[in-house]
């Protein structure tokens, strides 16, 4: 397949390898089923869900959204830099993405800590079950992503990525964008939906 | 030719590979259909109803679980066949083939223990109190579900090695390896089953039963199919068999190349 850009033809291809897209599609399908399950549960107990939602700190959710969006953006810059063969800054960009991932974890720890201190757990009611489990499973993905970013950072420092050899970086970036995208759905679903 | 090299026993290897389908077909019928686990009894079912379930299905559960305890061992033998295919890719010094075989072998342990508990519950149901029947039923689920990490190591090891296969046409397609990663990802929320009796994270819930189990099942079926094919391909690579295209026609061999 080719795309026409400014009169010239550029071959189009899927970033990374097909397998990582299989993973992303399946993983997001699992989350989609849980989102549907949440909405169905909400229909049956709107008042409980709404009252519980109001106890969540929107600021935490908003800051976390900014953190992940920025982290994802840094990974985009790293991929772009590799494709321009500007390899010097790539490790710094990936390190920045990693640090923001770590910041997300600290933020979640503070948020969870506050809830547990207030006597709220995933067993308190169905809303909190979804709140803790959905954000918890997402947090596991962030942990996985951070490990991946360490691997990518090491490879970038060793100058293993080049314009013609950046499939691994693209795979990692695809996964990290998925983690970001899932949060972008989770944030309004849990924190904002009235 | 090195006469000290022992001959590869392709026949045994193929037989072990076929124990994969024996496992997944046998379990589907005996555990799923006969013992009435499609869907399983809900975690929130009362002790009295659980007792009644075992009373009503005493014979079916007894037969189903007895057979499953035997069939479960096929997961180990299937794992041995997978491990040998992996060794052809990562070499004799590779460790991941060992991890895969250990993972498959130890996966049999929670299967046999859980089925043994459900079997004993069925055969002794007349002397058990409803609370004990409930205890046995839940105990089996906790054991069979929460041992998922052992199986995860098996799947991860296989996925990594098969992705590293340098053949133009991999012995096991990349999508099967990636599906393995999906399977492992679907296992982690299973850790939530002790906390919930209802909802998607109960052991009979949407996530644990209708996502994690079928995802693993798809992996076993697809891995079985490609391992059976892989053994045949390796036999041809070794020159111990001819590709189908070179089959003898009318008494003369017709070469494909």
């Amino acid at each position: 397949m080719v795309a026409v850009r400014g009169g010239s033809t550029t071959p189009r291809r899927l970033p990374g390898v097909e397998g990582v897209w299989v993973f992303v599609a399946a993983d997001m399908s699992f989350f989609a089923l849980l989102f549907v399950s949440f909405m169905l549960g909400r229909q049956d107990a709107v008042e409980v869900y709404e009252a519980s939602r109001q106890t969540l700190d929107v600021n935490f959710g908003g800051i976390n959204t900014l953190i992940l969006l920025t982290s994802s953006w840094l990974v985009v810059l790293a991929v772009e830099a590799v494709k321009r063969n500007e390899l010097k800054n790539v490790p710094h960009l990936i390190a920045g993405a990693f640090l923001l991932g770590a910041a997300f974890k600290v933020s979640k720890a503070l948020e969870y800590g506050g809830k547990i201190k207030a006597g709220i757990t995933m067993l308190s009611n169905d809303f909190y079950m979804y709140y803790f489990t959905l954000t918890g499973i997402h947090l596991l993905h962030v942990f996985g992503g951070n490990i991946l970013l360490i691997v990518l950072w090491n490879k970038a420092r060793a100058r293993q990525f080049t314009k013609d050899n950046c499939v691994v970086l693209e795979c990692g970036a695809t996964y990290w964008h998925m983690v970001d995208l899932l949060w972008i759905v989770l944030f309004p679903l849990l924190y904002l939906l009235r | 030719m090195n006469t000290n090299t022992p001959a590869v026993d392709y026949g045994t290897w193929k037989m072990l590979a076929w124990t994969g389908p024996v496992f997944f077909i046998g379990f589907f019928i005996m555990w799923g259909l006969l013992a009435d686990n499609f869907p399983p009894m809900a975690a929130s079912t009362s002790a009295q109803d659980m007792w009644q379930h075992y009373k009503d299905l005493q014979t079916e559960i007894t037969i189903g679980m007895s057979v499953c305890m035997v069939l479960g061992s096929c997961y180990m033998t299937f794992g041995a066949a997978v491990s040998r295919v992996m060794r052809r890719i990562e070499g004799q010094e590779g460790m991941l083939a060992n991890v895969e075989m250990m993972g498959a072998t130890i996966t049999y342990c929670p299967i046999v223990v859980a089925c043994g508990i459900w079997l004993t519950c069925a055969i002794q149901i007349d002397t058990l109190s409803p609370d004990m029947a409930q205890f046995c039923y839940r105990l089996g689920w906790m054991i069979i579900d929460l041992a998922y990490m052992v199986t995860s190591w098996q799947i991860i090891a296989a996925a990594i090695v098969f992705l590293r296969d340098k053949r133009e046409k991999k012995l096991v397609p990349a999508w099967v390896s990636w599906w393995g990663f999906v399977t492992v990802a679907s296992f982690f929320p299973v850790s939530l089953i002790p906390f919930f009796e209802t909802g998607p994270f109960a052991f009979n819930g949407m996530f644990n039963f209708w996502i994690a189990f079928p995802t693993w099942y798809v992996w076993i079926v697809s891995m079985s199919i490609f391992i059976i094919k892989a053994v045949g391909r390796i036999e041809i690579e070794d020159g111990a068999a001819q590709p189908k295209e070179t089959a003898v026609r009318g008494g003369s061999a017709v070469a494909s190349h």
Side-chain angles (χ1 to χ4, degrees), chain A residues 19 26 30 122-123 129 133, chain B residues 178 182 192 195-196 201 206 211:
Chain A
F30 296 160
M122 63 179 174
L123 303 177
M129 174 189 76
T133 55
Chain B
W178 284 99
V182 172
L192 294 166
F195 302 101
F196 300 106
F201 302 108
M206 179 191 76
I211 292 181

Side-chain angles (χ1 to χ4, degrees), chain B residues 187-208:
Chain B
F187 280 166
F188 285 100
V190 172
S191 285
L192 294 166
I193 66 164
F195 302 101
F196 300 106
E197 290 188 4
T198 57
F201 302 108
F203 62 68
N204 63 304
M206 179 191 76
F207 207 97
N208 174 59

Side-chain angles (χ1 to χ4, degrees), chain B residues 90-106:
Chain B
E90 65 167 358
Q92 290 304 312
E93 295 301 317
M95 291 180 67
L96 292 174
N98 289 353
V99 172
E100 193 280 335
M101 191 157 70
M102 291 286 289
T105 304
I106 299 175

Side-chain angles (χ1 to χ4, degrees), chain B residues 199-219:
Chain B
F201 302 108
F203 62 68
N204 63 304
M206 179 191 76
F207 207 97
N208 174 59
F209 193 77
W210 298 109
I211 292 181
F213 263 84
T215 307
W216 181 41
Y217 202 81
V218 169
W219 182 83

